[in-house]
Amino acid sequence: MVSEAVFRKCTEGDSPLFKQGWSGWPAGAKESDVLSWIGGLISQLEAFADNRIPTSAARRKLLAQPKTPLEGSTGKRSMDIGFVDSDIIYKPDTTDSRYRWAHILVVGELKSNPKADIASVAWIDLARYAREVLAAQDTRRFVLGFTLCGSLMRVWEFDRLGGIASEQFDINKEEGGLQFVATILGFLRMNEEMLGFDPTIVTTSGQKYIKIERNGQTECLIIDEVIKRAPCIAGRATTCWKAHRNDDPHNPLVIKDSWQYVDRDEEGELLQEATEKGVTNVARYYHHETVRIRTDDDVRNNVRKGLDVTKATNFQPKRTLPSNVGGTVSRISRQGRSSSSGVKRPSSETDAALPPSKRSYSASPTKPNLDVLSNRIHRRVVLRDYGEAIYKASSRAALLDALEGCIEGHESLRKAGFLHRDISINNLRVNEDKVNPSWRAFLIDLDLAIREHRDEASGAMGKTGTRAFMAIGALLGEQHSFMHDLESFFWVLFWTCIHHDGPDQGRVMRQFDMWNYADMEELAKLKLGTVAKETIFVKTMTDSFTAYFKPFIPLMKSLRKIIFPGDKPWEREDEKLYARMRAILRGACEEFRAVG
C-alpha cells in the first residue's frame, strides 16, 4: 500500500517526521499553527509518494483560509480547512478568482480542544460546510470531509441519508498516524467519482451532457442550466436542469434527478402512465431510469459500499439526533472513506440543528419513529415541458390564468387515477413563451403522488406535502384527499400575495416564513386562525399583501368562502369544488385583463 510505504518513510532517518507522534505538532493545537503544520507536512508526504502514484493522478492543494468567507453562499461562511484542485488560482481582489463553495472537494473542521469532537460542536460545523458544497455543486452525489479536534481525527461522508463518520483516532499514535497519511493521500489523489461527483454527467469543453437509451437509440441531452438544486444533505435532494437534445435545440427538456426511498412508486412510471392516458396540464413524460454507476446508484449499497451501520458502536434503532450525526465502526478504509453510523430522515439528524432553509420543503409520509436502515436510490426523469414558477407570471391575469390551468391539470390527473399530494409554489408552472411547445400552465413533481383507488377513501394516510402549503386537515394527519390539494392551491396564492410584489420582486416575511418549519399541529392552528373569521382574514391580507397583490383581496375572500364553508375546513368531499374555484379565477382573470 502506498500509504504504508509513505508512513514508513516518515519514521525513517536521523530526523524522522514521525516518532512517538508527529514532529512539529503544535502544542495546544492552535488553529493557525495546525494549518501551517499540515501545509508543510503535505508537501513532504507528496514528495514521498510521487514515485509510487501514477502521474495521471489528480493534483490538489490544501485550502487554509479560515477567516475568508467562500463565495456562493447566501450568507458569509468560511471553512477552516479543505482541499481544492491545484489549478484554481486565488486572487483576493478579483471576485471571479476568489475561492467558492463550488471549488471545494473535501471539507474540514479544526478544533484545538479534543472535547469538541461532539455533535453540537465540530460535527455540526462540518455538516454546514457539506451542505454548502452539495448545494453549490449540481453533480455532487456525496461529500467527504474530516474533523481534527486536537490530535483526534474522524473521517466523514455526507450523503442523502445523512452523515456517517469513522471512529475517532489519534494521529499522534502509530496506528492513527498511518490512518492520517492514508486519509490525506486519498484526498489528494482520489478521482472525481471517489470524491462524490456523478460520472454519468460528463463535461467536455465546458459543456455538460448526459446520454440516455430511449427507443433502442442512444440520445445525447445537452444541459443548458440548473433550474433547481435543493440545499440539503439528507432527503430527496432534487436537482433539475433545463436541457435539449443535441439534434433538437428548439424543444426544451427538463432533467430531474432525485434520491427516492426504494419502497416508493417511481415518479417516472407514474408520469409515463399519466402521459399515455392523455392527462393535460401535467408535465409530460420523455424518459426515466435508475442512475447506474456500475450498479444501481443507491446510498447503502453503492455510495456506502454496503457499510452496515448496525455495527456502529453507538448504533441504536429508531433514534434521532443531534446525538447520532455520526458514529463509529471499526476503522476507516485505506482511501480514507468513512465507516460509521448516523443517518438522517426528514426533519431530524444532520440538518436538524442547521439554520432553517428559506425555501419550503416537502415532508414525506412518515411513521412516528424513523428507522435508520432506510435507503434512497438515485432516479432520473426527463420531461417534455419547461416553464417558470407561477409567481413569475408576467401579469396578474397571467398568474390567475396559469393557476386555473394547474387546477385543470390536477383534475385531469385525478381522473386518470392519480392524486398529486404536493401542491406547492414551485410545482405550479407557467409558460408564456410562444415558441415553447410546453403546456401554457402545468403541474410538476409526482414524487409524492399515489394511485387513487376508487373503491376506497381517496388518498393515503400520512402527513404529506410541502409544509407551508399543506391543508389544515393534512397537517393534522387526515387521510389525504383531493380536497386537501385544492385547499393547497388556496395557500399557494395566499403565500404568493404576501411574498411577491410582482414577477421579479420577492421578499421574506418573518411572520409567515416560520410556516416552513413550524410544528405541523401548531401550523394547523395558525392557518385555522387565519381563515376562521372573515374580518381577521381581511385584516391579515390588508396588513400582509404586497401592493402588487392587494387587488387580489376580493378574489381571496371569494375563494375562502367555498374552500372553508361555514368558516371551517371542509367535512365532505365535493367534486364540484374544482369547477367553482376555476370559475372564480376565470372571472377575476377577465377583470384584470379588462383593466390592463
Side-chain angles (χ1 to χ4, degrees):
M1 295 289 291
V2 172
S3 57
E4 292 172 344
V6 170
F7 184 67
R8 189 164 53 249
K9 290 273 287 183
C10 292
T11 63
E12 297 173 348
D14 295 333
S15 300
L17 289 175
F18 188 96
K19 184 179 180 180
Q20 296 180 339
W22 290 101
S23 65
W25 173 255
K30 185 180 176 182
E31 179 185 273
S32 57
D33 295 338
V34 172
L35 288 172
S36 298
W37 175 80
I38 292 179
L41 180 63
I42 282 177
S43 61
Q44 294 173 293
L45 296 180
E46 286 192 298
F48 289 159
D50 255 353
N51 63 348
R52 295 178 173 87
I53 295 179
T55 56
S56 60
R59 290 284 180 175
R60 306 202 175 94
K61 62 183 179 183
L62 189 71
L63 174 64
Q65 294 183 348
K67 306 301 183 185
T68 305
L70 294 167
E71 300 286 326
S73 174
T74 53
K76 289 187 176 181
R77 177 165 290 154
S78 57
M79 182 178 69
D80 287 352
I81 188 171
F83 289 89
V84 296
D85 280 331
S86 295
D87 58 0
I88 297 174
I89 300 173
Y90 176 66
K91 296 179 181 178
D93 298 327
T94 307
T95 303
D96 290 343
S97 296
R98 294 177 186 170
Y99 288 120
R100 309 179 66 84
W101 287 106
H103 296 150
I104 304 302
L105 301 177
V106 176
V107 296
E109 173 68 8
L110 301 179
K111 299 291 183 186
S112 60
N113 187 352
K115 293 182 179 179
D117 185 27
I118 56 176
S120 60
V121 187
W123 302 2
I124 200 64
D125 285 344
L126 191 73
R128 289 189 177 100
Y129 305 154
R131 186 176 69 173
E132 294 285 1
V133 172
L134 287 166
Q137 300 177 18
D138 60 306
T139 64
R140 203 73 184 259
R141 298 160 55 234
F142 59 86
V143 172
L144 301 181
F146 64 96
T147 50
L148 186 59
C149 301
S151 62
L152 302 180
M153 191 174 195
R154 291 185 195 270
V155 183
W156 289 79
E157 187 250 12
F158 294 92
D159 55 40
R160 300 317 186 175
L161 286 178
I164 57 174
S166 70
E167 66 181 351
Q168 183 188 81
F169 57 93
D170 190 333
I171 69 170
N172 279 322
K173 294 183 178 178
E174 186 167 343
E175 184 177 6
L178 172 58
Q179 290 177 293
F180 176 68
V181 169
T183 299
I184 297 300
L185 290 179
F187 289 158
L188 289 169
R189 301 302 176 95
M190 284 177 177
N191 63 36
E192 287 195 343
E193 181 183 330
M194 294 173 71
L195 286 172
F197 290 91
D198 187 342
T200 69
I201 302 175
V202 181
T203 301
T204 303
S205 301
Q207 178 68 71
K208 291 180 184 176
Y209 65 89
I210 66 168
K211 290 187 176 180
I212 62 173
E213 295 295 324
R214 182 172 178 269
N215 298 330
Q217 301 289 325
T218 299
E219 295 184 6
C220 179
L221 305 186
I222 306 298
I223 294 175
D224 299 314
E225 61 182 87
V226 179
I227 300 171
K228 170 190 177 184
R229 173 76 166 177
C232 66
I233 295 175
R236 286 183 288 166
T238 301
T239 304
C240 295
W241 298 272
K242 184 182 180 184
H244 65 272
R245 267 178 30 192
N246 65 329
D247 59 351
D248 186 10
H250 301 297
N251 287 306
L253 299 171
V254 173
I255 303 168
K256 175 185 176 181
D257 276 24
S258 59
W259 294 79
Q260 303 292 325
Y261 284 129
V262 295
D263 56 352
R264 290 198 60 80
D265 289 337
E266 286 193 46
E267 182 188 17
E269 293 179 354
L270 299 180
L271 282 165
Q272 184 175 20
E273 186 177 337
T275 300
E276 289 171 351
K277 289 182 174 180
V279 170
T280 58
N281 291 5
V282 173
R284 287 166 289 189
Y285 172 86
Y286 187 81
H287 172 76
H288 79 284
E289 62 185 36
T290 295
V291 175
R292 289 185 60 83
I293 300 175
R294 284 172 299 281
T295 185
D296 286 353
D297 190 25
D298 71 325
V299 174
R300 289 177 60 191
N301 300 305
N302 204 34
V303 174
R304 297 185 178 180
K305 309 300 182 189
L307 180 71
D308 185 356
V309 299
T310 65
K311 295 181 179 176
T313 56
N314 70 341
F315 172 77
Q316 290 184 24
K318 297 182 180 179
R319 62 182 292 188
T320 57
L321 242 195
S323 62
N324 78 332
V325 177
T328 58
V329 174
S330 61
R331 66 180 57 150
I332 59 170
S333 70
R334 294 302 181 190
Q335 280 82 19
R337 289 293 298 274
S338 55
S339 54
S340 180
S341 78
V343 297
K344 175 180 178 296
R345 294 286 294 268
S347 303
S348 66
E349 303 182 19
T350 304
D351 268 349
L354 300 183
S357 169
K358 296 302 181 184
R359 299 175 179 84
S360 305
Y361 61 93
S362 296
S364 298
T366 61
K367 297 178 181 179
N369 292 313
L370 298 170
D371 193 336
V372 298
L373 296 180
S374 59
N375 193 15
R376 288 186 181 271
I377 192 164
H378 190 179
R379 310 278 195 202
R380 180 167 292 159
V381 177
V382 184
L383 306 168
R384 286 196 287 135
D385 291 280
Y386 168 77
E388 300 280 0
I390 194 168
Y391 59 83
K392 294 183 178 180
S394 62
S395 67
R396 300 180 187 91
L399 188 150
L400 295 176
D401 183 61
L403 187 59
E404 181 189 354
C406 289
I407 292 174
E408 288 177 2
H410 188 278
E411 185 173 25
S412 177
L413 186 67
R414 183 166 177 263
K415 286 178 178 178
F418 304 98
L419 187 60
H420 190 283
R421 303 200 307 169
D422 191 15
I423 299 302
S424 58
I425 197 164
N426 287 312
N427 287 345
L428 312 185
R429 313 301 284 188
V430 58
N431 167 32
E432 298 183 79
D433 183 354
K434 293 182 179 179
V435 300
N436 180 353
S438 305
W439 298 114
R440 63 173 177 78
F442 56 97
L443 296 176
I444 62 170
D445 194 354
L446 300 191
D447 276 347
L448 300 181
I450 57 169
R451 289 180 172 85
E452 187 179 49
H453 302 292
R454 295 298 182 181
D455 56 345
E456 302 171 4
S458 63
M461 292 299 290
K463 297 181 180 182
T464 305
T466 301
R467 189 169 303 216
F469 312 107
M470 288 172 66
I472 294 169
L475 288 167
L476 295 173
E478 292 178 1
Q479 187 177 50
H480 206 104
S481 162
F482 72 92
M483 296 287 286
H484 291 125
D485 281 2
L486 290 178
E487 183 183 327
S488 290
F489 281 107
F490 170 87
W491 292 117
V492 167
L493 187 54
F494 180 77
W495 182 274
T496 301
C497 293
I498 291 170
H499 290 86
H500 297 277
D501 199 12
D504 302 312
Q505 296 292 326
R507 65 174 183 171
V508 173
M509 288 285 285
R510 189 172 300 277
Q511 174 188 352
F512 295 97
D513 194 50
M514 66 176 292
W515 286 18
N516 285 322
Y517 49 87
D519 173 81
M520 288 194 174
E521 290 190 6
E522 289 299 316
L523 181 54
K525 294 176 184 176
L526 286 171
K527 289 188 170 184
L528 185 58
T530 301
V531 298
K533 191 173 182 180
E534 184 173 281
T535 54
I536 295 175
F537 183 56
V538 171
K539 185 178 187 306
T540 301
M541 293 189 290
T542 303
D543 292 345
S544 305
F545 278 19
T546 61
Y548 183 82
F549 281 115
K550 271 192 167 62
F552 275 22
I553 290 177
L555 160 67
M556 294 300 295
K557 287 172 60 180
S558 298
L559 288 173
R560 173 190 164 276
K561 287 180 180 178
I562 63 171
I563 294 170
F564 302 99
D567 297 333
K568 59 185 180 181
W570 60 274
E571 296 178 351
R572 290 190 298 273
E573 291 184 345
D574 181 4
E575 300 271 358
K576 296 179 180 178
L577 184 58
Y578 281 107
R580 291 203 295 272
M581 288 181 68
R582 289 201 309 269
I584 290 173
L585 292 170
R586 190 179 309 119
C589 177
E590 291 171 356
E591 289 179 9
F592 282 108
R593 279 184 177 145
V595 298

